Amino acid sequence: IITHSLLKEKKKIKDKEELTQLFTESNKIYKAGAIAAFKAREQLAETASQFPWNWSAWLDLADMSIPTDASRPEESIEIRQFQPISNLPFDHNAKDGPARLCIDSVGIISVCHGVRLAVEGQRCVEALEVLNELKSILPSSSFVFAQQALAHYARRDFDTAINTFEVLRQNFPYRLDQLDVYSNILYVKEQRADLSLLAHAVFRIDKYRPETCCIIGNYYSLRRQHERAVLYFRRALRLDRKCLSAWTLM
């Protein structure tokens, strides 16, 4: 679609002057968008600073790639919560075992944000260390279980990831977030029966979720019914254009 549009636009351009003008206008729009994005990040940072329990603000900040250190001062936002996981406070003098994480109730949100960024940035060993500590503070948190599963998946430790996803499903049977990643593992390991059970389960819970469509697509793909698989991946994209799993599997 993009290539076709560019070719159509190219036919309309008659000379070098018109091309220069088009580039100048496009560059102005790009700069305006970049400035708006930076202002949006500042506002989101202020929101997270004033009320750290607003998890939606943290998620948007992560999507906008807020820096976690001051290596780029021009983009760094002065807010206590934006620190690398390696800088988190640990009690290294603990008498009853290894160093333990020392955080207050507000800091937990900051730590969860840092863990999510670490997993997405493939710093999985670091993330798992903090997640193990978080588990002692939040033993029944679906976020902790999910991030552990994602970290093991990123490390290609599929067996551990499967076990973690199974624990997550047992404790939170109606939670669909990240289960598309679980289906990817079952697909890679060619566990057709388990993938079939998962597809039927999520379909009964909510057939209009992108994760459900990706899981069913994986199931049909494993059965080599590729046309039906593509149909469900496209449905996932109609439900959520930012669904990375659907784009990848397509």
Side-chain angles (χ1 to χ4, degrees), residues 105-134:
S105 60
V106 174
I108 288 177
I109 302 295
S110 167
V111 174
C112 290
H113 170 73
V115 164
R116 185 172 181 269
L117 288 178
V119 173
E120 291 183 355
Q122 301 295 311
R123 290 154 43 216
C124 298
V125 175
E126 184 182 359
L128 285 169
E129 178 185 350
V130 178
L131 283 166
N132 288 333
E133 291 294 332
L134 269 179

PDB file of all heavy atoms in Angstrom, residues 105-134:
ATOM      1  N   SER A 105       5.365   1.016  48.828  1.00  0.00           N
ATOM      2  CA  SER A 105       4.197   0.694  48.007  1.00  0.00           C
ATOM      3  C   SER A 105       4.172   1.489  46.714  1.00  0.00           C
ATOM      4  O   SER A 105       3.737   0.990  45.674  1.00  0.00           O
ATOM      5  CB  SER A 105       2.911   0.964  48.807  1.00  0.00           C
ATOM      6  OG  SER A 105       2.843   2.322  49.198  1.00  0.00           O
ATOM      7  N   VAL A 106       4.651   2.743  46.764  1.00  0.00           N
ATOM      8  CA  VAL A 106       4.710   3.551  45.549  1.00  0.00           C
ATOM      9  C   VAL A 106       5.788   3.023  44.612  1.00  0.00           C
ATOM     10  O   VAL A 106       5.607   2.941  43.395  1.00  0.00           O
ATOM     11  CB  VAL A 106       4.976   5.032  45.900  1.00  0.00           C
ATOM     12  CG1 VAL A 106       5.182   5.854  44.634  1.00  0.00           C
ATOM     13  CG2 VAL A 106       3.810   5.602  46.706  1.00  0.00           C
ATOM     14  N   GLY A 107       6.929   2.625  45.199  1.00  0.00           N
ATOM     15  CA  GLY A 107       8.036   2.142  44.382  1.00  0.00           C
ATOM     16  C   GLY A 107       7.738   0.871  43.626  1.00  0.00           C
ATOM     17  O   GLY A 107       8.380   0.580  42.615  1.00  0.00           O
ATOM     18  N   ILE A 108       6.772   0.086  44.093  1.00  0.00           N
ATOM     19  CA  ILE A 108       6.419  -1.152  43.412  1.00  0.00           C
ATOM     20  C   ILE A 108       5.988  -0.874  41.971  1.00  0.00           C
ATOM     21  O   ILE A 108       6.364  -1.598  41.045  1.00  0.00           O
ATOM     22  CB  ILE A 108       5.301  -1.895  44.172  1.00  0.00           C
ATOM     23  CG1 ILE A 108       5.860  -2.491  45.466  1.00  0.00           C
ATOM     24  CG2 ILE A 108       4.688  -3.002  43.311  1.00  0.00           C
ATOM     25  CD1 ILE A 108       4.833  -3.168  46.326  1.00  0.00           C
ATOM     26  N   ILE A 109       5.207   0.193  41.769  1.00  0.00           N
ATOM     27  CA  ILE A 109       4.772   0.546  40.423  1.00  0.00           C
ATOM     28  C   ILE A 109       5.965   0.874  39.552  1.00  0.00           C
ATOM     29  O   ILE A 109       6.058   0.448  38.388  1.00  0.00           O
ATOM     30  CB  ILE A 109       3.806   1.746  40.469  1.00  0.00           C
ATOM     31  CG1 ILE A 109       2.596   1.433  41.342  1.00  0.00           C
ATOM     32  CG2 ILE A 109       3.364   2.126  39.068  1.00  0.00           C
ATOM     33  CD1 ILE A 109       1.723   0.331  40.814  1.00  0.00           C
ATOM     34  N   SER A 110       6.913   1.622  40.114  1.00  0.00           N
ATOM     35  CA  SER A 110       8.128   1.960  39.387  1.00  0.00           C
ATOM     36  C   SER A 110       8.915   0.712  39.003  1.00  0.00           C
ATOM     37  O   SER A 110       9.413   0.584  37.881  1.00  0.00           O
ATOM     38  CB  SER A 110       9.000   2.879  40.244  1.00  0.00           C
ATOM     39  OG  SER A 110      10.294   2.995  39.712  1.00  0.00           O
ATOM     40  N   VAL A 111       9.029  -0.227  39.944  1.00  0.00           N
ATOM     41  CA  VAL A 111       9.761  -1.465  39.682  1.00  0.00           C
ATOM     42  C   VAL A 111       9.081  -2.278  38.578  1.00  0.00           C
ATOM     43  O   VAL A 111       9.741  -2.813  37.684  1.00  0.00           O
ATOM     44  CB  VAL A 111       9.880  -2.299  40.974  1.00  0.00           C
ATOM     45  CG1 VAL A 111      10.514  -3.652  40.674  1.00  0.00           C
ATOM     46  CG2 VAL A 111      10.708  -1.558  42.005  1.00  0.00           C
ATOM     47  N   CYS A 112       7.757  -2.367  38.628  1.00  0.00           N
ATOM     48  CA  CYS A 112       7.017  -3.107  37.598  1.00  0.00           C
ATOM     49  C   CYS A 112       7.250  -2.491  36.224  1.00  0.00           C
ATOM     50  O   CYS A 112       7.420  -3.198  35.228  1.00  0.00           O
ATOM     51  CB  CYS A 112       5.524  -3.112  37.926  1.00  0.00           C
ATOM     52  SG  CYS A 112       5.082  -4.134  39.359  1.00  0.00           S
ATOM     53  N   HIS A 113       7.273  -1.157  36.184  1.00  0.00           N
ATOM     54  CA  HIS A 113       7.550  -0.463  34.924  1.00  0.00           C
ATOM     55  C   HIS A 113       8.955  -0.816  34.427  1.00  0.00           C
ATOM     56  O   HIS A 113       9.150  -1.132  33.245  1.00  0.00           O
ATOM     57  CB  HIS A 113       7.423   1.043  35.149  1.00  0.00           C
ATOM     58  CG  HIS A 113       7.904   1.883  34.006  1.00  0.00           C
ATOM     59  ND1 HIS A 113       7.208   1.989  32.823  1.00  0.00           N
ATOM     60  CD2 HIS A 113       9.012   2.655  33.866  1.00  0.00           C
ATOM     61  CE1 HIS A 113       7.863   2.792  32.000  1.00  0.00           C
ATOM     62  NE2 HIS A 113       8.958   3.206  32.613  1.00  0.00           N
ATOM     63  N   GLY A 114       9.929  -0.782  35.342  1.00  0.00           N
ATOM     64  CA  GLY A 114      11.300  -1.103  34.951  1.00  0.00           C
ATOM     65  C   GLY A 114      11.456  -2.539  34.487  1.00  0.00           C
ATOM     66  O   GLY A 114      12.187  -2.822  33.533  1.00  0.00           O
ATOM     67  N   VAL A 115      10.745  -3.448  35.148  1.00  0.00           N
ATOM     68  CA  VAL A 115      10.794  -4.862  34.761  1.00  0.00           C
ATOM     69  C   VAL A 115      10.244  -5.049  33.352  1.00  0.00           C
ATOM     70  O   VAL A 115      10.818  -5.767  32.527  1.00  0.00           O
ATOM     71  CB  VAL A 115      10.007  -5.726  35.772  1.00  0.00           C
ATOM     72  CG1 VAL A 115       9.715  -7.101  35.196  1.00  0.00           C
ATOM     73  CG2 VAL A 115      10.783  -5.869  37.066  1.00  0.00           C
ATOM     74  N   ARG A 116       9.127  -4.393  33.078  1.00  0.00           N
ATOM     75  CA  ARG A 116       8.512  -4.511  31.748  1.00  0.00           C
ATOM     76  C   ARG A 116       9.465  -4.008  30.670  1.00  0.00           C
ATOM     77  O   ARG A 116       9.626  -4.639  29.618  1.00  0.00           O
ATOM     78  CB  ARG A 116       7.206  -3.725  31.711  1.00  0.00           C
ATOM     79  CG  ARG A 116       6.424  -3.864  30.412  1.00  0.00           C
ATOM     80  CD  ARG A 116       5.054  -3.207  30.531  1.00  0.00           C
ATOM     81  NE  ARG A 116       4.291  -3.348  29.304  1.00  0.00           N
ATOM     82  CZ  ARG A 116       4.298  -2.470  28.315  1.00  0.00           C
ATOM     83  NH1 ARG A 116       5.057  -1.389  28.412  1.00  0.00           N
ATOM     84  NH2 ARG A 116       3.573  -2.671  27.221  1.00  0.00           N
ATOM     85  N   LEU A 117      10.121  -2.876  30.917  1.00  0.00           N
ATOM     86  CA  LEU A 117      11.091  -2.349  29.961  1.00  0.00           C
ATOM     87  C   LEU A 117      12.278  -3.294  29.802  1.00  0.00           C
ATOM     88  O   LEU A 117      12.787  -3.478  28.693  1.00  0.00           O
ATOM     89  CB  LEU A 117      11.582  -0.976  30.413  1.00  0.00           C
ATOM     90  CG  LEU A 117      10.600   0.195  30.307  1.00  0.00           C
ATOM     91  CD1 LEU A 117      11.238   1.464  30.843  1.00  0.00           C
ATOM     92  CD2 LEU A 117      10.137   0.399  28.876  1.00  0.00           C
ATOM     93  N   ALA A 118      12.709  -3.909  30.901  1.00  0.00           N
ATOM     94  CA  ALA A 118      13.849  -4.823  30.843  1.00  0.00           C
ATOM     95  C   ALA A 118      13.530  -6.055  30.013  1.00  0.00           C
ATOM     96  O   ALA A 118      14.343  -6.510  29.202  1.00  0.00           O
ATOM     97  CB  ALA A 118      14.264  -5.217  32.264  1.00  0.00           C
ATOM     98  N   VAL A 119      12.342  -6.620  30.211  1.00  0.00           N
ATOM     99  CA  VAL A 119      11.945  -7.803  29.434  1.00  0.00           C
ATOM    100  C   VAL A 119      11.854  -7.455  27.956  1.00  0.00           C
ATOM    101  O   VAL A 119      12.342  -8.195  27.093  1.00  0.00           O
ATOM    102  CB  VAL A 119      10.605  -8.367  29.953  1.00  0.00           C
ATOM    103  CG1 VAL A 119      10.109  -9.477  29.038  1.00  0.00           C
ATOM    104  CG2 VAL A 119      10.760  -8.897  31.374  1.00  0.00           C
ATOM    105  N   GLU A 120      11.238  -6.312  27.646  1.00  0.00           N
ATOM    106  CA  GLU A 120      11.117  -5.910  26.248  1.00  0.00           C
ATOM    107  C   GLU A 120      12.478  -5.587  25.640  1.00  0.00           C
ATOM    108  O   GLU A 120      12.670  -5.732  24.434  1.00  0.00           O
ATOM    109  CB  GLU A 120      10.187  -4.704  26.131  1.00  0.00           C
ATOM    110  CG  GLU A 120       8.735  -5.038  26.431  1.00  0.00           C
ATOM    111  CD  GLU A 120       7.813  -3.854  26.232  1.00  0.00           C
ATOM    112  OE1 GLU A 120       8.327  -2.741  25.946  1.00  0.00           O
ATOM    113  OE2 GLU A 120       6.585  -4.029  26.357  1.00  0.00           O
ATOM    114  N   GLY A 121      13.413  -5.154  26.487  1.00  0.00           N
ATOM    115  CA  GLY A 121      14.752  -4.844  26.009  1.00  0.00           C
ATOM    116  C   GLY A 121      15.705  -6.023  26.048  1.00  0.00           C
ATOM    117  O   GLY A 121      16.919  -5.836  25.901  1.00  0.00           O
ATOM    118  N   GLN A 122      15.180  -7.233  26.285  1.00  0.00           N
ATOM    119  CA  GLN A 122      15.962  -8.474  26.295  1.00  0.00           C
ATOM    120  C   GLN A 122      16.984  -8.527  27.434  1.00  0.00           C
ATOM    121  O   GLN A 122      17.960  -9.270  27.363  1.00  0.00           O
ATOM    122  CB  GLN A 122      16.691  -8.663  24.958  1.00  0.00           C
ATOM    123  CG  GLN A 122      15.767  -8.720  23.757  1.00  0.00           C
ATOM    124  CD  GLN A 122      14.857  -9.949  23.784  1.00  0.00           C
ATOM    125  OE1 GLN A 122      15.345 -11.051  23.987  1.00  0.00           O
ATOM    126  NE2 GLN A 122      13.573  -9.764  23.562  1.00  0.00           N
ATOM    127  N   ARG A 123      16.756  -7.762  28.506  1.00  0.00           N
ATOM    128  CA  ARG A 123      17.601  -7.849  29.701  1.00  0.00           C
ATOM    129  C   ARG A 123      16.923  -8.796  30.677  1.00  0.00           C
ATOM    130  O   ARG A 123      16.529  -8.430  31.788  1.00  0.00           O
ATOM    131  CB  ARG A 123      17.784  -6.454  30.305  1.00  0.00           C
ATOM    132  CG  ARG A 123      18.663  -5.546  29.458  1.00  0.00           C
ATOM    133  CD  ARG A 123      18.384  -4.062  29.635  1.00  0.00           C
ATOM    134  NE  ARG A 123      18.192  -3.695  31.028  1.00  0.00           N
ATOM    135  CZ  ARG A 123      17.319  -2.765  31.399  1.00  0.00           C
ATOM    136  NH1 ARG A 123      16.551  -2.165  30.510  1.00  0.00           N
ATOM    137  NH2 ARG A 123      17.194  -2.441  32.668  1.00  0.00           N
ATOM    138  N   CYS A 124      16.794 -10.035  30.247  1.00  0.00           N
ATOM    139  CA  CYS A 124      15.923 -10.986  30.945  1.00  0.00           C
ATOM    140  C   CYS A 124      16.508 -11.504  32.255  1.00  0.00           C
ATOM    141  O   CYS A 124      15.769 -11.735  33.209  1.00  0.00           O
ATOM    142  CB  CYS A 124      15.592 -12.152  30.012  1.00  0.00           C
ATOM    143  SG  CYS A 124      14.696 -11.642  28.531  1.00  0.00           S
ATOM    144  N   VAL A 125      17.809 -11.707  32.299  1.00  0.00           N
ATOM    145  CA  VAL A 125      18.429 -12.187  33.538  1.00  0.00           C
ATOM    146  C   VAL A 125      18.232 -11.161  34.642  1.00  0.00           C
ATOM    147  O   VAL A 125      17.861 -11.492  35.780  1.00  0.00           O
ATOM    148  CB  VAL A 125      19.933 -12.467  33.316  1.00  0.00           C
ATOM    149  CG1 VAL A 125      20.597 -12.839  34.635  1.00  0.00           C
ATOM    150  CG2 VAL A 125      20.126 -13.579  32.288  1.00  0.00           C
ATOM    151  N   GLU A 126      18.454  -9.896  34.306  1.00  0.00           N
ATOM    152  CA  GLU A 126      18.266  -8.811  35.262  1.00  0.00           C
ATOM    153  C   GLU A 126      16.805  -8.735  35.698  1.00  0.00           C
ATOM    154  O   GLU A 126      16.495  -8.572  36.887  1.00  0.00           O
ATOM    155  CB  GLU A 126      18.701  -7.493  34.605  1.00  0.00           C
ATOM    156  CG  GLU A 126      18.662  -6.292  35.517  1.00  0.00           C
ATOM    157  CD  GLU A 126      19.069  -5.020  34.787  1.00  0.00           C
ATOM    158  OE1 GLU A 126      19.388  -5.089  33.579  1.00  0.00           O
ATOM    159  OE2 GLU A 126      19.051  -3.967  35.440  1.00  0.00           O
ATOM    160  N   ALA A 127      15.903  -8.864  34.720  1.00  0.00           N
ATOM    161  CA  ALA A 127      14.471  -8.790  35.033  1.00  0.00           C
ATOM    162  C   ALA A 127      14.031  -9.939  35.928  1.00  0.00           C
ATOM    163  O   ALA A 127      13.271  -9.741  36.880  1.00  0.00           O
ATOM    164  CB  ALA A 127      13.664  -8.795  33.733  1.00  0.00           C
ATOM    165  N   LEU A 128      14.512 -11.150  35.647  1.00  0.00           N
ATOM    166  CA  LEU A 128      14.123 -12.313  36.442  1.00  0.00           C
ATOM    167  C   LEU A 128      14.603 -12.204  37.886  1.00  0.00           C
ATOM    168  O   LEU A 128      13.927 -12.640  38.811  1.00  0.00           O
ATOM    169  CB  LEU A 128      14.664 -13.593  35.795  1.00  0.00           C
ATOM    170  CG  LEU A 128      13.930 -14.066  34.533  1.00  0.00           C
ATOM    171  CD1 LEU A 128      14.711 -15.162  33.840  1.00  0.00           C
ATOM    172  CD2 LEU A 128      12.522 -14.537  34.881  1.00  0.00           C
ATOM    173  N   GLU A 129      15.776 -11.597  38.077  1.00  0.00           N
ATOM    174  CA  GLU A 129      16.282 -11.413  39.436  1.00  0.00           C
ATOM    175  C   GLU A 129      15.331 -10.542  40.243  1.00  0.00           C
ATOM    176  O   GLU A 129      15.003 -10.852  41.392  1.00  0.00           O
ATOM    177  CB  GLU A 129      17.671 -10.767  39.385  1.00  0.00           C
ATOM    178  CG  GLU A 129      18.267 -10.482  40.757  1.00  0.00           C
ATOM    179  CD  GLU A 129      19.581  -9.729  40.676  1.00  0.00           C
ATOM    180  OE1 GLU A 129      20.133  -9.594  39.563  1.00  0.00           O
ATOM    181  OE2 GLU A 129      20.050  -9.262  41.738  1.00  0.00           O
ATOM    182  N   VAL A 130      14.879  -9.434  39.636  1.00  0.00           N
ATOM    183  CA  VAL A 130      13.962  -8.531  40.328  1.00  0.00           C
ATOM    184  C   VAL A 130      12.587  -9.176  40.476  1.00  0.00           C
ATOM    185  O   VAL A 130      11.926  -9.025  41.509  1.00  0.00           O
ATOM    186  CB  VAL A 130      13.857  -7.193  39.568  1.00  0.00           C
ATOM    187  CG1 VAL A 130      12.863  -6.263  40.257  1.00  0.00           C
ATOM    188  CG2 VAL A 130      15.223  -6.523  39.490  1.00  0.00           C
ATOM    189  N   LEU A 131      12.143  -9.920  39.463  1.00  0.00           N
ATOM    190  CA  LEU A 131      10.835 -10.575  39.533  1.00  0.00           C
ATOM    191  C   LEU A 131      10.780 -11.595  40.668  1.00  0.00           C
ATOM    192  O   LEU A 131       9.740 -11.754  41.319  1.00  0.00           O
ATOM    193  CB  LEU A 131      10.513 -11.244  38.195  1.00  0.00           C
ATOM    194  CG  LEU A 131      10.061 -10.301  37.081  1.00  0.00           C
ATOM    195  CD1 LEU A 131      10.103 -11.004  35.729  1.00  0.00           C
ATOM    196  CD2 LEU A 131       8.657  -9.774  37.352  1.00  0.00           C
ATOM    197  N   ASN A 132      11.877 -12.289  40.895  1.00  0.00           N
ATOM    198  CA  ASN A 132      11.912 -13.242  42.003  1.00  0.00           C
ATOM    199  C   ASN A 132      11.727 -12.532  43.343  1.00  0.00           C
ATOM    200  O   ASN A 132      11.090 -13.062  44.264  1.00  0.00           O
ATOM    201  CB  ASN A 132      13.230 -14.016  41.992  1.00  0.00           C
ATOM    202  CG  ASN A 132      13.296 -15.025  40.860  1.00  0.00           C
ATOM    203  OD1 ASN A 132      12.261 -15.515  40.404  1.00  0.00           O
ATOM    204  ND2 ASN A 132      14.495 -15.332  40.393  1.00  0.00           N
ATOM    205  N   GLU A 133      12.295 -11.329  43.452  1.00  0.00           N
ATOM    206  CA  GLU A 133      12.114 -10.542  44.669  1.00  0.00           C
ATOM    207  C   GLU A 133      10.683 -10.013  44.757  1.00  0.00           C
ATOM    208  O   GLU A 133      10.075 -10.000  45.826  1.00  0.00           O
ATOM    209  CB  GLU A 133      13.111  -9.379  44.715  1.00  0.00           C
ATOM    210  CG  GLU A 133      14.549  -9.803  44.912  1.00  0.00           C
ATOM    211  CD  GLU A 133      14.766 -10.431  46.285  1.00  0.00           C
ATOM    212  OE1 GLU A 133      14.026 -10.085  47.220  1.00  0.00           O
ATOM    213  OE2 GLU A 133      15.670 -11.258  46.417  1.00  0.00           O
ATOM    214  N   LEU A 134      10.167  -9.556  43.609  1.00  0.00           N
ATOM    215  CA  LEU A 134       8.793  -9.048  43.592  1.00  0.00           C
ATOM    216  C   LEU A 134       7.792 -10.127  43.995  1.00  0.00           C
ATOM    217  O   LEU A 134       6.765  -9.845  44.609  1.00  0.00           O
ATOM    218  CB  LEU A 134       8.438  -8.530  42.192  1.00  0.00           C
ATOM    219  CG  LEU A 134       8.694  -7.055  41.884  1.00  0.00           C
ATOM    220  CD1 LEU A 134       8.312  -6.744  40.448  1.00  0.00           C
ATOM    221  CD2 LEU A 134       7.952  -6.152  42.855  1.00  0.00           C
TER     222      LEU A 134
END
